[in-house]
Amino acid sequence: MGKLTSKTVESIAKAATPGKTNDGDGLYFQVSKSGGTSWIFRYKLDGRSREMGLGPFPTVTLSQARQLAADQRKLLASGSDPLATRDAAKEAKREAERQAAARRTTFEDLAREYQQAHGSSWSEKWRKGWLRKLELYAFPTMGKLSADIISTEHVLAALQPIWVTKTRTADEIRGQIEQILDAAKTRRLREGDNPARWRGHLDNLLSKAEKKKARQRQHFPALQWKDTPKLISTLANIDTRDAIATRLLILTGARYHMIQHAQWSEFDLETGTWALPAERMKMRKPFVIPLSPPVVEMLNIMNTTHSTYLFPGQGKNGVMHGNAIRNLLHKLGYADITRHGFRSTFRDWANECTNYPREVCELALAHDERDQTEAAYSRSDLLEKRRALMAEWAKFCTSKK
C-alpha cells in the first residue's frame, strides 16, 4: 500500500508548498515552485538516479499514478530503461505520423511546394515553364504518387517517350525530378538513392549520345571572339547599369540569370571570388567564380549602392529586367547575337588561344564533365587554374587590339 491518500494529495496540492512527497516504491507527488502539481517516478539504473514524469495532477489521479509507476517497475525488472522506452515509443509514433504524412503528400504537391520555395528569384516565364514541363511529362506518370514510392521505373516512364525526340526537355525534367526528390529526402519524406540521378544511374539506362546531340543542336548566335575587345571597349564608355552588367556577363562567362540576380553578399572583392549558392546554379551545386582584376576594379567602383542586388530593378522581383542586356545589344547594333552566346565566344577563344586543359575550360562555364569516379578522386574545383584562365580572358577582352 502507498503512504498517500486522495485527501492527503488534495491537501498538499491546496497548500502549494514546493517539494516532493513520497508515496513509496519510487512514486512521488511533486509541487513545483510555481505551484504546479504532478507525479514523479524515481528509479536507479546502472548506479544513476533518474526521474520520470508521469503526468499532472489532478488529470492523473493517485490510483492512476500508482499504476503507471508499477508499469515502470516492470520495465526495470525486465532490464529496460523506462525513460528510454518512452522516448522510443514517442519516436515510433512520430515516425508513423511522418510516414502517414509522406503517403498523403504527392509528387505534384512537392513540385508545387518546391516552386513556391525557390521560384521567387525566377522570372515569371521560367516559373510557368518550369511547372508546365512537369504537368505535361512528369505528373501523368508520377504526379499522384508519394515521394517514398517513386522508383527508377517511374522516372523512366516519364523520360523515355521523349528522350530521343525532345532530349533537352527530357533532361531538364530529369533534373527537376531529382531536385524535388532531393528536397523530399531532406524533409524525410523518402529514403534511399535518388532514382532521377544521372551519373552512375540513369546514364546507364538512357542514351548519352542523344543527350550530347541535344546539347550540340542548341545553337546560340555568338559574337566572334576576335570582336570581343571592340564590344568591351564600347561598353566601358557607357556608364549605365546595363552596360556594366553586360561586361560582367562577358568577363565571367556566367549565365544571364546569375548576373540578373547577383547579390553583393555573394562577392568577396578582397579575395576576388563570387560564391553562388546551390539554389542559384543550374545543376543545384554551389559554385565559385574567380574574378579577374578588371572585374574586381569595376565592381569596386560601382559598389556604392545600398541595394541587396548588384543590378536592382523596379519589377516585382527587385532585379533588372530580363531583356535589359538584350535591348542594349540591339541598340549597339548587335541584334544577331544572344546573351548566352558569350559563353560560346569565351569557349572558342579558350580553344583557339590557350593551352588550358578541357576540364578547366569547361569548369569555367560551370560544366563539370568529370565522371563520378574521377570527381570522387578529384574534389578540387580547379579555382586557381580557372582564375588564371579568366585573368587571361579579361586581359584579352580589355586589350586595345
Side-chain angles (χ1 to χ4, degrees), residues 193-249:
D193 293 336
N194 194 318
R197 188 181 76 252
W198 175 252
R199 287 180 179 168
H201 186 57
L202 290 183
D203 60 351
N204 296 316
L205 303 172
L206 296 169
S207 170
K208 299 177 187 178
E210 290 298 332
K211 182 178 179 182
K212 188 174 182 180
K213 285 179 185 177
R215 177 176 287 181
Q216 292 171 344
R217 281 195 297 268
Q218 187 179 36
H219 176 67
F220 293 96
L223 183 70
Q224 294 293 320
W225 63 266
K226 293 180 180 179
D227 297 329
T228 310
K230 179 182 177 181
L231 175 57
I232 289 291
S233 178
T234 301
L235 293 169
N237 291 318
I238 303 175
D239 188 21
T240 66
R241 175 205 65 180
D242 298 348
I244 295 173
T246 308
R247 288 161 65 194
L248 185 63
L249 180 78

Side-chain angles (χ1 to χ4, degrees), residues 126-250:
W126 182 257
R127 276 175 59 89
K128 290 181 179 178
W130 189 91
L131 190 61
R132 183 58 178 161
K133 288 195 291 283
L134 292 172
E135 289 174 341
L136 288 173
Y137 303 111
F139 290 172
T141 60
M142 66 180 74
K144 301 306 179 184
L145 302 179
S146 59
D148 61 327
I149 65 172
I150 291 176
S151 65
T152 302
E153 287 68 29
H154 295 120
V155 177
L156 288 175
L159 300 181
Q160 283 177 328
I162 58 171
W163 189 254
V164 174
T165 57
K166 298 180 179 180
T167 309
R168 177 166 289 277
T169 299
D171 191 47
E172 290 175 352
I173 294 168
R174 181 209 60 76
Q176 290 173 252
I177 296 172
E178 183 179 21
Q179 293 163 9
I180 294 164
L181 294 182
D182 274 346
K185 186 174 182 178
T186 301
R187 293 170 55 184
R188 297 187 63 206
L189 296 179
R190 68 168 284 120
E191 297 178 351
D193 293 336
N194 194 318
R197 188 181 76 252
W198 175 252
R199 287 180 179 168
H201 186 57
L202 290 183
D203 60 351
N204 296 316
L205 303 172
L206 296 169
S207 170
K208 299 177 187 178
E210 290 298 332
K211 182 178 179 182
K212 188 174 182 180
K213 285 179 185 177
R215 177 176 287 181
Q216 292 171 344
R217 281 195 297 268
Q218 187 179 36
H219 176 67
F220 293 96
L223 183 70
Q224 294 293 320
W225 63 266
K226 293 180 180 179
D227 297 329
T228 310
K230 179 182 177 181
L231 175 57
I232 289 291
S233 178
T234 301
L235 293 169
N237 291 318
I238 303 175
D239 188 21
T240 66
R241 175 205 65 180
D242 298 348
I244 295 173
T246 308
R247 288 161 65 194
L248 185 63
L249 180 78
I250 296 171

Side-chain angles (χ1 to χ4, degrees), residues 256-308:
Y256 178 67
H257 72 86
M258 295 158 63
I259 300 291
Q260 184 185 20
H261 295 273
Q263 300 183 24
W264 284 111
S265 60
E266 298 169 351
F267 289 80
D268 186 337
L269 300 183
E270 292 293 327
T271 61
T273 54
W274 177 11
L276 290 110
E279 60 268 20
R280 294 242 292 116
M281 295 301 298
K282 182 178 180 180
M283 299 306 294
R284 292 300 186 266
K285 293 181 180 180
F287 187 67
V288 177
I289 296 176
L291 304 176
S292 61
V295 171
V296 172
E297 181 182 0
M298 178 178 69
L299 295 180
N300 270 318
I301 292 173
M302 70 174 290
N303 190 13
T304 57
T305 179
H306 297 293
S307 171
T308 299

Side-chain angles (χ1 to χ4, degrees), residues 20-165:
K20 294 184 178 74
T21 305
N22 186 6
D23 182 57
D25 294 326
L27 179 62
Y28 289 80
F29 183 67
Q30 174 179 262
V31 179
S32 67
K33 291 180 180 180
S34 64
T37 53
S38 60
W39 298 100
I40 300 294
F41 176 66
R42 278 183 171 181
Y43 66 96
K44 278 191 176 184
L45 188 68
D46 298 329
R48 293 178 57 193
S49 296
R50 307 196 71 182
E51 287 190 355
M52 178 180 182
L54 298 180
F57 175 83
T59 303
V60 177
T61 64
L62 173 60
S63 61
Q64 289 172 332
R66 285 172 175 166
Q67 183 58 55
L68 290 171
D71 293 340
Q72 309 318 312
R73 289 194 295 273
K74 289 179 182 177
L75 286 173
L76 280 171
S78 68
S80 299
D81 182 349
L83 278 172
T85 301
R86 185 174 67 180
D87 290 345
K90 287 181 178 179
E91 179 58 32
K93 182 180 179 181
R94 284 194 293 266
E95 179 62 19
E97 291 172 348
R98 182 194 67 77
Q99 291 180 5
R103 287 190 292 270
R104 291 193 300 270
T105 305
T106 66
F107 178 81
E108 183 174 341
D109 294 332
L110 293 169
R112 296 183 186 280
E113 289 172 9
Y114 187 95
Q115 184 202 44
Q116 187 69 27
H118 299 276
S120 60
S121 62
W122 303 348
S123 68
E124 187 62 23
K125 180 180 179 182
W126 182 257
R127 276 175 59 89
K128 290 181 179 178
W130 189 91
L131 190 61
R132 183 58 178 161
K133 288 195 291 283
L134 292 172
E135 289 174 341
L136 288 173
Y137 303 111
F139 290 172
T141 60
M142 66 180 74
K144 301 306 179 184
L145 302 179
S146 59
D148 61 327
I149 65 172
I150 291 176
S151 65
T152 302
E153 287 68 29
H154 295 120
V155 177
L156 288 175
L159 300 181
Q160 283 177 328
I162 58 171
W163 189 254
V164 174
T165 57

